[in-house]
Amino acid sequence: MFDRPESGERAVLVHLTFRSGQEDLLELKELAKSAGTDPVYVVTGSRKKPDPKYFVGKGKLEELKGIIDTYEADIVLFNHPLSPSQERNLEGFLGVRVVDRNGLILDIFAQRAQTFEGKLQVELAQLQHLSTRLVRGWTHLERQKGGIGLRGPGETQLETDRRLLGLRIKQIQQRLDKVDKQRHQGRSKRKKAEVPSVSLVGYTNAGKSTLFNRLTGADIYVADQLFATLDPTLRNCKLPNSSEVVVADTVGFIRHLPHELVAAFKSTLQEASEADLLLHVIDASSADRAETIYQVNQVLEDIEANEVRQLEVFNKIDLLEGIQPRIDRDDEGNPVRVWLSAETGDGVELLYQVLAEIFSNTKVKRKCYLRPDQGEIRAKLFACAKIISERTDDFGGCELVVELDTKHLGLLKSVEFEEIL
């Protein structure tokens, strides 16, 4: 019915207070600016529950109509998910484009995606969102069936749209499956080489990309806005003990991240779920940091990454008075939190120190002899250890020189081996 809004259009924001499931009004303003709109007015109110037809009540609807006319607004942004019928009813009454919270986030993602994979993921999320919002098409385009007893209305435009939408979703999912296999192969190679992986996670605009650049020397895009970067980036990071880790910068989280995005970005978010360590980057200067920590942990639970070891990184201490870089430890002396400023670099050396401590060099070399009936052990060694050399003898056995982590030494308990210094 209405064209997609262009950058710079005037927007009226709508934020209602309910008993549960609240969103943050300040976050809505940031989302609106990140999408390129110009917020001109904020409509607030409270209800016990949403109106089934318009989401807002009749009085608030009339007020909203008057504000749109007064400020000549082009779009209305709701800080809540709307049902397809509510969205259509609101557009019909107000005469302007209406976008709910999920649609707004999807639009921002569409603007920011740069890589082939990122664009596919965003398109998939948008099509899944759109599939619930198709309305009756043009009946004059109905196709007629032929044959006796089969005459009458054929496939309507709406049915055609649904069919084409389903085909496109299937094509994108097949392409993303290929990308997912490539990512899986990359992760398998890193695990085989015993290269630990570290994923940066956290609320959007917490400073993940700035910290990523500090740790790895990369130069990825950084901006003071929500979802500045979407596409995952992986870089090697050398630690003070000369060991290396692979650091991944992932997409930022947000309250109630739309399920379409979680599903579409599954392969990207899998970098977090299969990491050896999560660096949970937290904006220490935020008044809502306890709430954002909770929201991030909720998303981690949704993507089954809540069991991965986590190290909290309290960032932006340069915006706080009297806070110095430090390491917080638990009762057993294990590091649980690092306070630093990725912007100034203060405290980053402490994070290097903690990473080196966590990923201390625990690899050993062994020369072992496998009998012909120990092929299963050989397969497991090839899967989790670095094979330096292999030599077979005339009796079907083999001599292997392997480098493996001490946690895998149990594989050699039934094998003849000797330590190599």
Side-chain angles (χ1 to χ4, degrees), residues 363-379:
K363 294 180 182 179
V364 294
K365 286 185 181 181
R366 294 289 188 270
K367 179 191 289 185
C368 53
Y369 179 80
L370 302 180
R371 302 188 306 272
D373 61 342
Q374 293 179 315
E376 184 178 353
I377 296 176
R378 177 181 177 276

Side-chain angles (χ1 to χ4, degrees), residues 195-212:
V195 179
S197 60
V198 177
S199 282
L200 296 175
V201 298
Y203 212 74
T204 183
N205 208 26
K208 295 185 305 301
S209 296
T210 303
L211 181 60
F212 180 84

Side-chain angles (χ1 to χ4, degrees), residues 104-120:
L104 178 59
I105 295 174
L106 288 171
D107 193 81
I108 296 171
F109 271 57
Q111 294 179 39
R112 304 283 163 76
Q114 298 294 326
T115 65
F116 173 73
E117 179 188 5
K119 291 176 181 178
L120 281 179

Side-chain angles (χ1 to χ4, degrees), residues 102 105-107 109-110 113 115-130 168-181 183 187 230-232 251 253 257-271 299 302-303:
N102 289 0
I105 295 174
L106 288 171
D107 193 81
F109 271 57
T115 65
F116 173 73
E117 179 188 5
K119 291 176 181 178
L120 281 179
Q121 289 170 325
V122 171
E123 185 181 355
L124 175 61
Q126 286 181 313
L127 291 177
Q128 289 172 334
H129 184 71
L130 179 64
R168 180 57 181 163
I169 288 176
K170 186 177 180 180
Q171 290 175 346
I172 295 175
Q173 287 175 330
Q174 289 174 343
R175 292 183 182 180
L176 285 175
D177 285 343
K178 292 183 179 179
V179 176
D180 189 28
K181 288 179 181 178
R183 284 191 175 278
R187 284 191 291 264
L230 292 184
D231 303 305
V251 63
F253 299 158
L257 196 65
H259 69 274
E260 296 98 340
L261 285 175
V262 175
F265 280 74
K266 182 179 178 181
S267 63
T268 301
L269 295 173
Q270 206 167 2
E271 292 291 348
V299 177
D302 291 341
I303 63 175

Side-chain angles (χ1 to χ4, degrees), residues 283-286 289 315-323 339:
D283 182 354
S285 66
S286 172
R289 73 186 186 195
N315 188 27
K316 302 187 181 181
I317 63 171
D318 54 304
L319 302 179
L320 299 172
E321 292 185 6
I323 301 296
W339 297 72

Side-chain angles (χ1 to χ4, degrees), residues 325-336:
R326 70 174 190 267
I327 301 172
D328 292 343
R329 298 178 180 272
D330 60 17
D331 295 337
E332 298 177 357
N334 298 313
V336 293

Side-chain angles (χ1 to χ4, degrees), residues 11-18 21-34 39-45 77-80 101 104 203 226 254-256 288 291:
V12 173
L13 312 184
V14 179
H15 175 80
L16 299 185
T17 303
F18 298 97
Q22 291 309 293
E23 310 293 351
D24 183 41
L25 179 57
L26 180 61
E27 188 175 87
L28 174 64
K29 294 178 181 178
E30 292 295 325
L31 285 170
K33 292 177 182 176
S34 296
V40 294
Y41 197 90
V42 178
V43 176
T44 59
L77 304 178
F78 274 75
N79 198 24
H80 315 273
R101 177 184 172 83
L104 178 59
Y203 212 74
L226 304 186
I254 199 169
R255 287 179 180 84
H256 309 302
D288 299 325
E291 173 67 15

Side-chain angles (χ1 to χ4, degrees), residues 195-263:
V195 179
S197 60
V198 177
S199 282
L200 296 175
V201 298
Y203 212 74
T204 183
N205 208 26
K208 295 185 305 301
S209 296
T210 303
L211 181 60
F212 180 84
N213 288 342
R214 280 281 180 188
L215 289 175
T216 65
D219 188 27
I220 62 174
Y221 178 69
V222 175
D224 184 20
Q225 56 185 202
L226 304 186
F227 304 117
T229 53
L230 292 184
D231 303 305
T233 308
L234 284 78
R235 294 287 188 276
N236 285 336
C237 174
K238 196 155 190 175
L239 302 179
N241 62 354
S242 298
S243 61
E244 283 192 352
V245 296
V246 173
V247 181
D249 184 23
T250 60
V251 63
F253 299 158
I254 199 169
R255 287 179 180 84
H256 309 302
L257 196 65
H259 69 274
E260 296 98 340
L261 285 175
V262 175

